Amino acid sequence: TQQDPLAWRLARTSSGDLYLLIARRSEDGSIGGTGDGALYRSKDKAEHWTPVPLPEGVNAPNGLAIDPQAPARMYLAAWGRAVGMHGEGGGIYVTGDAGRTWRCALDRDQHLDDVTIDPRDPGILYAAGFESSAWRSADRGESWLRINGFDFKWAHRVIPDPADRNMIYVTTF
């Protein structure tokens, strides 16, 4: 259980389940403490919450995107712990079974703030974070390419333009 949990993000599946991300309260590189972040699910409109295991070695969930056509498929953006030169436990993780198992899909960027599904095509995803990069996947998160031309630190979120499928917006801090 977290000490003084910080409710960071909510996400809802097309079937009505709610997911709540709890932000990590520590940058120290440890894992398994009261400052860890967490993920919870509610199947009864937020009356009760059940922990969902995070991927192994991850304790800083930042963003969660849920496939609108397959609600058990989710994408988790994580912020790496301060370990080694670039950090550990960050990136994009994918589950196809509502969080029972996870696998890492993007680890070249350890400090990601969010992951977004294109509302016109759930096979297209975007991710953004601290490392002067924004990312795009055209195959449901299986592979990721850096978006050329974006090189600003502290990207927050990629937002596809609702009217022009060739245009995206990247918010920054």
Tab-separated table of all heavy atoms in Angstrom, residues 11-37:
chain	number	residue	atom	x	y	z
A	11	ALA	N	-8.552	5.972	-16.343
A	11	ALA	CA	-8.868	5.521	-17.697
A	11	ALA	C	-10.045	4.563	-17.590
A	11	ALA	O	-10.184	3.845	-16.600
A	11	ALA	CB	-7.666	4.823	-18.331
A	12	ARG	N	-10.895	4.550	-18.625
A	12	ARG	CA	-12.100	3.718	-18.615
A	12	ARG	C	-12.118	2.838	-19.855
A	12	ARG	O	-11.836	3.302	-20.958
A	12	ARG	CB	-13.335	4.618	-18.595
A	12	ARG	CG	-14.638	3.878	-18.468
A	12	ARG	CD	-15.801	4.884	-18.389
A	12	ARG	NE	-17.046	4.217	-18.270
A	12	ARG	CZ	-17.790	3.810	-19.304
A	12	ARG	NH1	-17.396	4.039	-20.536
A	12	ARG	NH2	-18.924	3.193	-19.117
A	13	THR	N	-12.474	1.571	-19.668
A	13	THR	CA	-12.597	0.664	-20.795
A	13	THR	C	-13.969	0.849	-21.445
A	13	THR	O	-14.887	1.411	-20.842
A	13	THR	CB	-12.469	-0.815	-20.363
A	13	THR	OG1	-13.599	-1.162	-19.558
A	13	THR	CG2	-11.175	-1.070	-19.624
A	14	SER	N	-14.103	0.337	-22.650
A	14	SER	CA	-15.397	0.402	-23.336
A	14	SER	C	-16.452	-0.431	-22.613
A	14	SER	O	-17.644	-0.191	-22.782
A	14	SER	CB	-15.246	-0.063	-24.788
A	14	SER	OG	-14.711	-1.374	-24.827
A	15	SER	N	-16.026	-1.359	-21.762
A	15	SER	CA	-16.975	-2.163	-20.996
A	15	SER	C	-17.289	-1.565	-19.622
A	15	SER	O	-18.076	-2.131	-18.874
A	15	SER	CB	-16.449	-3.592	-20.845
A	15	SER	OG	-15.203	-3.592	-20.184
A	16	GLY	N	-16.669	-0.427	-19.288
A	16	GLY	CA	-17.001	0.282	-18.055
A	16	GLY	C	-16.045	0.109	-16.897
A	16	GLY	O	-16.209	0.759	-15.872
A	17	ASP	N	-15.033	-0.749	-17.009
A	17	ASP	CA	-14.055	-0.863	-15.924
A	17	ASP	C	-13.247	0.425	-15.842
A	17	ASP	O	-12.940	1.050	-16.861
A	17	ASP	CB	-13.094	-2.025	-16.168
A	17	ASP	CG	-13.759	-3.381	-16.041
A	17	ASP	OD1	-14.948	-3.454	-15.679
A	17	ASP	OD2	-13.073	-4.386	-16.322
A	18	LEU	N	-12.912	0.810	-14.627
A	18	LEU	CA	-12.074	1.982	-14.399
A	18	LEU	C	-10.688	1.538	-13.954
A	18	LEU	O	-10.555	0.582	-13.187
A	18	LEU	CB	-12.670	2.871	-13.298
A	18	LEU	CG	-13.930	3.623	-13.623
A	18	LEU	CD1	-14.465	4.297	-12.363
A	18	LEU	CD2	-13.660	4.661	-14.688
A	19	TYR	N	-9.668	2.247	-14.418
A	19	TYR	CA	-8.297	2.027	-13.981
A	19	TYR	C	-7.769	3.334	-13.401
A	19	TYR	O	-8.004	4.405	-13.964
A	19	TYR	CB	-7.410	1.577	-15.144
A	19	TYR	CG	-7.662	0.150	-15.551
A	19	TYR	CD1	-8.669	-0.166	-16.439
A	19	TYR	CD2	-6.891	-0.878	-15.012
A	19	TYR	CE1	-8.913	-1.480	-16.799
A	19	TYR	CE2	-7.124	-2.195	-15.373
A	19	TYR	CZ	-8.134	-2.485	-16.264
A	19	TYR	OH	-8.373	-3.785	-16.611
A	20	LEU	N	-7.073	3.230	-12.282
A	20	LEU	CA	-6.505	4.382	-11.593
A	20	LEU	C	-5.004	4.193	-11.468
A	20	LEU	O	-4.540	3.161	-10.963
A	20	LEU	CB	-7.123	4.515	-10.196
A	20	LEU	CG	-6.495	5.534	-9.252
A	20	LEU	CD1	-6.691	6.952	-9.773
A	20	LEU	CD2	-7.063	5.371	-7.850
A	21	LEU	N	-4.246	5.187	-11.941
A	21	LEU	CA	-2.791	5.192	-11.767
A	21	LEU	C	-2.452	6.011	-10.533
A	21	LEU	O	-2.929	7.135	-10.372
A	21	LEU	CB	-2.100	5.831	-12.969
A	21	LEU	CG	-2.156	5.088	-14.293
A	21	LEU	CD1	-1.490	5.913	-15.369
A	21	LEU	CD2	-1.489	3.743	-14.179
A	22	ILE	N	-1.618	5.455	-9.678
A	22	ILE	CA	-1.079	6.159	-8.518
A	22	ILE	C	0.361	6.527	-8.860
A	22	ILE	O	1.156	5.662	-9.243
A	22	ILE	CB	-1.114	5.273	-7.249
A	22	ILE	CG1	-2.536	4.803	-6.941
A	22	ILE	CG2	-0.485	5.992	-6.067
A	22	ILE	CD1	-3.497	5.897	-6.567
A	23	ALA	N	0.704	7.798	-8.751
A	23	ALA	CA	2.049	8.266	-9.110
A	23	ALA	C	3.073	7.851	-8.055
A	23	ALA	O	2.771	7.802	-6.860
A	23	ALA	CB	2.047	9.778	-9.264
A	24	ARG	N	4.284	7.590	-8.524
A	24	ARG	CA	5.394	7.289	-7.619
A	24	ARG	C	5.769	8.562	-6.861
A	24	ARG	O	5.766	9.664	-7.402
A	24	ARG	CB	6.584	6.771	-8.422
A	24	ARG	CG	7.769	6.433	-7.537
A	24	ARG	CD	8.924	5.842	-8.288
A	24	ARG	NE	9.472	6.795	-9.219
A	24	ARG	CZ	10.170	6.465	-10.296
A	24	ARG	NH1	10.382	5.215	-10.587
A	24	ARG	NH2	10.658	7.387	-11.083
A	25	ARG	N	6.155	8.408	-5.607
A	25	ARG	CA	6.527	9.537	-4.759
A	25	ARG	C	8.030	9.634	-4.518
A	25	ARG	O	8.467	10.425	-3.697
A	25	ARG	CB	5.844	9.406	-3.397
A	25	ARG	CG	4.343	9.335	-3.443
A	25	ARG	CD	3.742	10.637	-3.710
A	25	ARG	NE	3.068	11.177	-2.545
A	25	ARG	CZ	2.501	12.361	-2.594
A	25	ARG	NH1	2.531	13.079	-3.682
A	25	ARG	NH2	1.902	12.839	-1.557
A	26	SER	N	8.841	8.828	-5.214
A	26	SER	CA	10.270	8.813	-4.953
A	26	SER	C	11.023	8.587	-6.252
A	26	SER	O	10.587	7.834	-7.101
A	26	SER	CB	10.602	7.692	-3.965
A	26	SER	OG	11.985	7.502	-3.884
A	27	GLU	N	12.176	9.206	-6.392
A	27	GLU	CA	13.029	9.002	-7.564
A	27	GLU	C	14.254	8.175	-7.221
A	27	GLU	O	15.141	8.028	-8.037
A	27	GLU	CB	13.506	10.365	-8.111
A	27	GLU	CG	12.428	11.141	-8.811
A	27	GLU	CD	11.931	10.456	-10.066
A	27	GLU	OE1	12.728	9.867	-10.821
A	27	GLU	OE2	10.719	10.470	-10.285
A	28	ASP	N	14.303	7.608	-6.043
A	28	ASP	CA	15.554	7.026	-5.576
A	28	ASP	C	15.944	5.697	-6.208
A	28	ASP	O	16.808	5.183	-5.946
A	28	ASP	CB	15.567	6.912	-4.050
A	28	ASP	CG	14.645	5.839	-3.521
A	28	ASP	OD1	14.056	5.088	-4.312
A	28	ASP	OD2	14.526	5.754	-2.292
A	29	GLY	N	15.353	5.105	-7.050
A	29	GLY	CA	15.843	3.884	-7.664
A	29	GLY	C	15.474	2.624	-6.918
A	29	GLY	O	15.742	1.522	-7.389
A	30	SER	N	14.880	2.751	-5.750
A	30	SER	CA	14.437	1.554	-5.041
A	30	SER	C	13.069	1.144	-5.576
A	30	SER	O	12.399	1.893	-6.276
A	30	SER	CB	14.355	1.822	-3.533
A	30	SER	OG	13.330	2.749	-3.262
A	31	ILE	N	12.667	-0.057	-5.231
A	31	ILE	CA	11.353	-0.549	-5.634
A	31	ILE	C	10.812	-1.396	-4.490
A	31	ILE	O	11.575	-2.022	-3.760
A	31	ILE	CB	11.428	-1.330	-6.962
A	31	ILE	CG1	10.044	-1.515	-7.556
A	31	ILE	CG2	12.166	-2.637	-6.816
A	31	ILE	CD1	10.067	-1.908	-9.019
A	32	GLY	N	9.517	-1.341	-4.293
A	32	GLY	CA	8.903	-2.115	-3.225
A	32	GLY	C	8.657	-1.333	-1.955
A	32	GLY	O	8.369	-1.920	-0.918
A	33	GLY	N	8.731	-0.002	-2.025
A	33	GLY	CA	8.518	0.826	-0.843
A	33	GLY	C	7.173	1.537	-0.866
A	33	GLY	O	6.379	1.390	-1.799
A	34	THR	N	6.927	2.328	0.147
A	34	THR	CA	5.650	3.044	0.258
A	34	THR	C	5.540	4.198	-0.725
A	34	THR	O	4.459	4.736	-0.921
A	34	THR	CB	5.438	3.579	1.690
A	34	THR	OG1	6.517	4.466	2.005
A	34	THR	CG2	5.350	2.442	2.694
A	35	GLY	N	6.644	4.563	-1.377
A	35	GLY	CA	6.607	5.636	-2.367
A	35	GLY	C	6.357	5.147	-3.782
A	35	GLY	O	6.324	5.943	-4.724
A	36	ASP	N	6.180	3.840	-3.954
A	36	ASP	CA	5.934	3.283	-5.282
A	36	ASP	C	4.605	3.760	-5.854
A	36	ASP	O	3.650	4.009	-5.118
A	36	ASP	CB	5.866	1.756	-5.219
A	36	ASP	CG	7.216	1.094	-5.067
A	36	ASP	OD1	8.231	1.815	-5.030
A	36	ASP	OD2	7.254	-0.142	-4.978
A	37	GLY	N	4.562	3.820	-7.168
A	37	GLY	CA	3.297	4.033	-7.847
A	37	GLY	C	2.558	2.708	-7.951
A	37	GLY	O	3.089	1.647	-7.609
